[in-house]
Amino acid sequence: MSTTLKVNHEELVRPISELKTDARQRIAFDRKVIPIIFIPGIMGSRLKNRFNKRIWDPDRPGWMLWKYGIFKAATAQTKKAMLVGKEFSPEYLRVINDDGRHNKKYFAHQYDTHRADRGWGGVLWSSYGTIIKELQTRQWDRTVNLFAEFPVHAFGYNWTASNRLAGERLAGYIDAVITKYRGMGRQCEKVILVTHSMGGLVARAACKLSGADNKVLGVIHGVQPANGSPAGYWRMKGGFERPHTIPETDPMHWLKTPKRAAAHKWNTLVTKGVEFAPGISFGKGNITAWVLGTDGREVTALLGNMPGGLQLLPNKRYRDNHGCAQWLVLRDESGKRRNLPKSDPYKEIYRAKDVYWRLVNPEWLNPGEKVKSNKKYRSKTSWINYGEYLTEAESFHDALGGKVHPNTYQFYSTGIASPDRVVFTRMRDTLRSKGKRIIDMVKGDLLGKGVGAAVDAARGELTKPVAGAAKTTLAKPFAGGSLTEYVLHPSKLVTAAKGLAGAAKQVPGAMAEAAKGLPNALPRIASGMPKAIGINAAKKAATTAIGLVVRDDKRFIDRGGYRDKVDESDLLVFKENGSPAEVAFLITLETPDGAGDGTVPESSAKALKLGANRTFAIGDVDGNEGKFVEKKAPRTKPQIPPDFDEGWFDRGHEPIYKTRSATHITVTAIENMVRELGRKALGLH
């Protein structure tokens, strides 16, 4: 009869005195428990209010659209009332962890029945379900699996509140998780943190500001805005971006990922709507844009009252992708530039009140009636409240600085147009300047689209004979029967189908023969191009008359952009009746054009100073997008060649953890951490 002796890895470096020489014995390793805790980004936790009413749940997109604006007339006031309440309180919102219907739909398991207890229900499953399930069911390398097991937890949090507060609560959660496994008689000393976006700030706050450092084995940060992102500023001026702020795709996307290219085109149709005049579409819009704000007024009412949101603004350490601390560019019509901040963005930009580059319009902070302040924030006006939230953000970033857990990895995404800087153009508001704007739109709409349509038609004329030859050749085996015959006699269809293999071999020859006639067709097609361009341009002209009037209107510009009028001193000026001053300059916010993941520029996502082989870039390794980038969006070119390849559709900020590259980086980093721990335990380090 054998006996079993449990030992841990540390005991293997010394003789095991408990072993007997006259008995059959088994040695069983007592594996460590190293919980993996996933921390989502802003908007990545499902939230309810203190009255147990659902407030934020993107896993139910239909409900979100119903509540926040496509079916109901949700205004800035009603959106603020739902997400912030009358006045911000860190206790107003809490995480939804107990939604049985949601949990059953997304992650119910016959044997692992404690997933909800590990916090899985509190995070946005449509964004994070892939990575959480992958880590939980991972078949780890044998050297790692022998040493430890890795139950996966998720830590949802109130992302409207300060990251410092979320960090304090994460530190408490880490303690509770370790205590739980120790109470089960298991070895559990440390956890591993995996973060997305804002979750990186929360994890660093837990480690460096709330004392959790020694209880964390290591951290993997994905697309973290370590020093903030100008995206926050851009959105508070112009609303959450519409799809047009990301450059359109090139034909190479159809070759590399045709399925996702088709899906992107469909999503673009759904989100941007159907164009009825140049640049003017009716559609439901990006869900996030509808919910958090289609213009600066709506976004300011929300983010201006959220300490957590304000902590994503560029801080004093922020640099753009070219290493410049002055990320706000003010450019006039002569090309002369003024760059900000000189030293302090909080003072020069965020607290500015009357200049056009101010972060917020004070009147937009509280679109409803004025309320008395709560006990924590003893302020009398929304502007003073906002100032206190800014002070909290500044204090948080000053305290956190560049501090990082010593065993940290980070990865970022690049090659997608992102706001690494913000550019305003300033020009005189005259009839001449208005005419220039209109001419530019006319040139783009009439000539550009007219030529494009004509080229498409010419391409069709050129490819038609070759494609027709292939189609005719492949149809030959079926020429002997009708559709009715094949339906009534399936055996005939099977016989005819057998001839497809032979017909397919004849296709290249038939196509080559048809291609011989193309040179003769070129002169005919070329001679018809001017007429085709003119016809297509005329078609566009019919709708451009409407488009020019609407697109040059401020109300249209401010939905996914920003335009305003200022005086000689760059102060926002109005007549007594509220109309713009007669002598003024027109200020326009330019579209983001830097390299990043669409939200976080690569400069901030890779800002942490780590050792060798601890920072990785996900981008276009194969160079398929090179031609497109060089011609249409040169500033989106990565500063450093990426390490891992993912398609343009996959490597955006929100879906990054659905990619194979993000999974590979995360899994490899975890295995490296655990192997190192094992080597130390066995005295092999």
Side-chain angles (χ1 to χ4, degrees), residues 397-428:
H397 280 293
D398 286 348
L400 187 60
K403 296 174 183 174
V404 61
H405 188 279
N407 194 8
T408 292
Y409 293 81
Q410 65 185 355
F411 67 86
Y412 63 96
S413 177
T414 187
I416 297 175
S418 307
D420 72 312
R421 64 177 184 174
V422 174
V423 179
F424 286 98
T425 56
R426 177 181 183 267
M427 63 190 303
R428 288 193 176 274

Side-chain angles (χ1 to χ4, degrees), residues 432-462:
R432 180 180 178 182
S433 63
K434 186 178 181 70
K436 184 179 183 302
R437 292 198 306 273
I438 291 176
I439 289 172
D440 288 342
M441 285 190 282
V442 168
K443 285 164 62 178
D445 288 333
L446 302 191
L447 184 60
K449 292 185 179 180
V451 170
V455 169
D456 288 341
R459 186 185 296 117
E461 288 292 321
L462 285 170

Side-chain angles (χ1 to χ4, degrees), residues 116-390:
D117 298 334
R118 299 201 298 273
W120 287 23
V123 300
L124 180 55
W125 202 252
S126 52
S127 293
Y128 305 126
T130 299
I131 186 64
I132 289 175
K133 279 190 172 181
E134 172 64 30
L135 293 175
Q136 181 62 52
T137 60
R138 179 77 183 178
Q139 295 297 313
W140 299 94
D141 182 86
R142 290 182 62 186
T143 59
V144 172
N145 191 51
L146 183 66
F147 187 78
E149 57 184 278
F150 308 93
V152 178
H153 292 245
F155 176 75
Y157 58 96
N158 177 7
W159 40 266
T160 70
S162 171
N163 290 294
R164 188 191 292 264
L165 175 61
E168 292 172 2
R169 293 180 174 175
L170 174 59
Y173 184 71
I174 291 171
D175 284 338
V177 168
I178 292 174
T179 300
K180 170 187 173 182
Y181 289 106
R182 285 180 176 176
M184 297 166 62
R186 304 299 305 275
Q187 292 186 75
C188 184
E189 293 99 25
K190 298 189 177 188
V191 303
I192 292 173
L193 304 180
V194 178
T195 79
H196 176 245
S197 190
M198 181 199 248
L201 298 177
V202 175
R204 289 169 59 210
C207 292
K208 294 301 179 180
L209 304 182
S210 294
D213 223 24
N214 293 331
K215 298 169 186 175
V216 174
L217 178 62
V219 186
I220 300 102
H221 292 303
V223 296
Q224 176 193 193
N227 290 327
S229 168
Y233 177 94
W234 204 100
R235 289 163 177 170
M236 291 182 76
K237 299 296 286 187
F240 273 76
E241 299 100 324
R242 296 299 198 191
H244 72 263
T245 60
I246 297 176
E248 287 298 325
T249 57
D250 221 41
M252 55 85 192
H253 290 301
W254 291 91
L255 299 175
K256 186 176 182 181
T257 52
K259 183 177 179 181
R260 287 194 170 92
H264 169 75
K265 287 299 180 185
W266 168 250
N267 290 335
T268 299
L269 174 64
V270 172
T271 57
K272 292 180 71 174
V274 178
E275 184 178 71
F276 81 97
I280 305 172
S281 304
F282 283 139
K284 75 178 186 181
N286 180 304
I287 289 178
T288 301
W290 277 109
V291 173
L292 288 183
T294 56
D295 58 28
R297 181 186 297 270
E298 293 181 349
V299 177
T300 296
L302 297 176
L303 294 188
N305 289 285
M306 295 178 180
L310 294 175
Q311 288 168 12
L312 295 180
L313 292 167
N315 60 29
K316 298 170 188 174
R317 298 169 58 88
Y318 179 81
R319 302 292 185 271
D320 70 13
N321 287 345
H322 296 277
C324 181
Q326 298 172 328
W327 52 269
L328 186 60
V329 181
L330 316 176
R331 185 168 57 209
D332 64 22
E333 53 195 326
S334 68
K336 186 178 179 181
R337 295 161 60 114
R338 178 182 179 186
N339 300 329
L340 294 173
K342 300 298 182 184
S343 60
D344 185 352
Y346 296 95
K347 179 180 179 180
E348 299 170 46
I349 302 172
Y350 309 149
R351 290 190 173 91
K353 209 169 185 179
D354 299 314
V355 290
Y356 71 83
W357 62 80
R358 63 187 181 180
L359 176 63
V360 305
N361 180 340
E363 297 177 359
W364 293 354
L365 286 168
N366 187 10
E369 61 183 77
K370 293 183 178 180
V371 297
K372 296 180 180 179
S373 99
N374 58 33
K375 293 181 180 179
K376 183 173 178 58
Y377 297 99
R378 300 179 182 279
S379 54
K380 297 180 181 179
T381 68
S382 296
W383 178 258
I384 296 177
N385 271 342
Y386 163 71
E388 291 188 357
Y389 306 150
L390 278 180

Side-chain angles (χ1 to χ4, degrees), residues 45-117:
S45 301
R46 302 170 61 237
L47 301 175
K48 60 185 177 182
N49 64 20
R50 57 177 173 240
F51 306 111
N52 222 33
K53 185 177 180 181
R54 187 186 310 274
I55 296 296
W56 184 262
D57 192 359
D59 279 341
R60 299 176 66 179
W63 178 88
M64 292 286 285
L65 288 171
W66 175 264
K67 282 289 184 182
Y68 286 92
I70 189 170
F71 300 115
K72 290 187 176 182
T75 63
Q77 182 177 350
T78 57
K79 291 178 181 180
K80 177 178 178 288
M82 285 186 280
L83 268 169
V84 179
K86 291 183 178 180
E87 189 174 296
F88 173 77
S89 167
E91 304 304 326
Y92 174 67
L93 297 177
R94 55 204 64 184
V95 178
I96 302 173
N97 272 317
D98 54 355
D99 186 347
R101 179 182 174 185
H102 170 276
N103 299 349
K104 181 179 180 180
K105 176 181 178 181
Y106 287 107
F107 56 77
H109 193 273
Q110 182 178 0
Y111 303 109
D112 185 2
T113 58
H114 297 287
R115 294 179 170 183
D117 298 334

